[in-house]
Amino acid sequence: MSMHRELVCFLVVEVTFVSILVYVYLTSNQIVNHNTWIHKQGHFNLSVKEENISPNELRRETGRPCVFPERSPSLVPCQQNNLSEKRRILKESLPWLDLETTLNASMTLLPGGYHQPLGCASPQRLAIIIPYRDREVNLKILLNNLHRVLQKQQAEYAIFVVEQENGTPFNRGLIKNIGYVEAKALCHFDCFTFQDVDLVPESERNTYWCGARALHHSQRLDILKYRIFYKNHFGGVITFNETLFSTVNGYSNLYFTWGGEDDDLFHRLLEKKCPMNSANILVTLL
């Protein structure tokens, strides 16, 4: 993915199956590089049982405070007002620098794709994790829409784009787990949303906040005339609180290429008796 090093739209996590490189774009133009070794590798094999990974192995503590600004305790709670049921999807793929200029016109985005509402305190801090490879047009369109929706919702959030290198079989479950670990290493987040790069919310009321249930945001797609894809479909855009995601031990690392990890996640949630819910709101497939 070719981009300018000063982009503030998101934080980049570049992934190989040997190491993870996290690039945090700072106002000083400095690049902070973390290397994390992957000790547990899974290959899809029906005869191999996936190992359970302990919370200590999932979490990489850095021993430093949050890299993003702390919330002021004196601010009043944010209010969600005038959220539209149906919004116009922006489908133009802008050059990276034009996209950055457009999205940061209000000067509320910080390097690394972090946003904090002005004048009020959001009740939760949200990590948006986007698994990515070779979908630059989709990524630009998603960012151009998603930042606008989240800011209209008065959300405090950071966007993490987790990119797996070419030449290796794509493993969406593994790189989602990596995004979760790397987000936790940078700051405390209350909610974690796993967002497919080709899905855009049509409604500002499709709020990306978390509660006691795992929330499925993308049950009804325009390409399917807003019918449910199939029974128990639980993929596309999902939000968890930290406790739920830890309880199911994240996504499976055993599914390479496309598909499988979302259905596996649904059964993990059932097995652990974790509550689930689906937002009956419309989503556009790019």
Side-chain angles (χ1 to χ4, degrees):
M1 178 166 50
S2 175
M3 65 187 71
H4 194 277
R5 64 178 295 173
E6 297 179 7
L7 274 177
V8 299
C9 303
F10 58 93
L11 184 148
V12 183
V13 182
E14 293 189 354
V15 176
T16 72
F17 287 114
V18 177
S19 65
I20 308 163
L21 304 177
V22 184
Y23 300 106
V24 186
Y25 292 82
L26 305 175
T27 54
S28 63
N29 297 332
Q30 176 186 4
I31 294 181
V32 179
N33 181 3
H34 305 289
N35 290 313
T36 302
W37 293 92
I38 304 297
H39 296 291
K40 295 186 178 294
Q41 297 297 320
H43 296 276
F44 181 64
N45 187 329
L46 293 177
S47 65
V48 176
K49 184 178 180 180
E50 181 180 8
E51 294 185 58
N52 191 56
I53 303 175
S54 71
N56 287 336
E57 290 173 302
L58 275 175
R59 189 178 297 112
R60 177 168 61 83
E61 301 293 351
T62 63
R64 67 170 182 269
C66 178
V67 301
F68 303 117
E70 291 297 329
R71 290 171 281 190
S72 171
S74 63
L75 293 175
V76 298
C78 293
Q79 302 295 319
Q80 290 188 328
N81 298 318
N82 302 317
L83 298 182
S84 299
E85 177 65 31
K86 183 82 170 179
R87 59 180 295 274
R88 183 175 68 89
I89 303 298
L90 305 174
K91 293 190 176 183
E92 183 183 3
S93 176
L94 298 174
W96 283 114
L97 290 181
D98 291 348
L99 180 62
E100 176 179 326
T101 301
T102 299
L103 291 176
N104 204 26
S106 62
M107 304 299 291
T108 59
L109 270 180
L110 295 182
Y114 172 81
H115 172 265
Q116 190 177 85
L118 293 176
C120 65
S122 178
Q124 298 173 335
R125 182 185 288 127
L126 171 66
I128 307 284
I129 298 166
I130 305 173
Y132 173 85
R133 184 161 73 177
D134 295 336
R135 304 289 289 275
E136 186 169 333
V137 170
N138 287 163
L139 179 60
K140 289 176 177 178
I141 295 173
L142 173 61
L143 292 172
N144 198 18
N145 287 274
L146 187 57
H147 275 292
R148 297 169 191 271
V149 170
L150 292 171
Q151 290 175 26
K152 186 71 177 294
Q153 294 173 358
Q154 298 278 43
E156 179 184 357
Y157 65 90
I159 294 181
F160 298 82
V161 175
V162 190
E163 180 178 17
Q164 183 178 327
E165 71 170 6
N166 291 322
T168 57
F170 197 43
N171 188 318
R172 286 162 45 83
L174 179 59
I175 63 177
K176 288 176 183 179
N177 291 338
I178 289 169
Y180 171 78
V181 171
E182 293 299 327
K184 283 170 58 66
L186 295 177
C187 196
H188 167 75
F189 289 94
D190 303 290
C191 312
F192 298 84
T193 296
F194 299 90
Q195 166 85 45
D196 279 5
V197 74
D198 58 355
L199 295 178
V200 175
E202 294 186 9
S203 174
E204 293 169 349
R205 299 179 186 177
N206 193 349
T207 53
Y208 279 43
W209 291 355
C210 61
R213 298 172 179 267
L215 180 60
H216 185 202
H217 297 268
S218 54
Q219 188 178 47
R220 299 182 183 274
L221 303 180
D222 64 331
I223 196 173
L224 300 174
K225 297 182 179 179
Y226 304 109
R227 295 190 297 265
I228 295 176
F229 188 16
Y230 57 86
K231 185 180 179 181
N232 301 334
H233 174 236
F234 211 71
V237 186
I238 312 291
T239 295
F240 292 89
N241 64 44
E242 183 179 357
T243 300
L244 279 177
F245 196 70
S246 298
T247 298
V248 299
N249 198 34
Y251 284 87
S252 172
N253 294 334
L254 302 184
Y255 294 88
F256 286 86
T257 67
W258 292 93
E261 83 287 343
D262 293 333
D263 291 337
D264 183 279
L265 175 70
F266 177 81
H267 291 290
R268 286 172 181 245
L269 289 162
L270 283 182
E271 182 181 352
K272 296 293 185 178
K273 297 181 171 57
C274 294
M276 296 173 275
N277 199 7
S278 293
N280 192 26
I281 296 178
L282 312 182
V283 176
T284 292
L285 177 69
L286 298 177

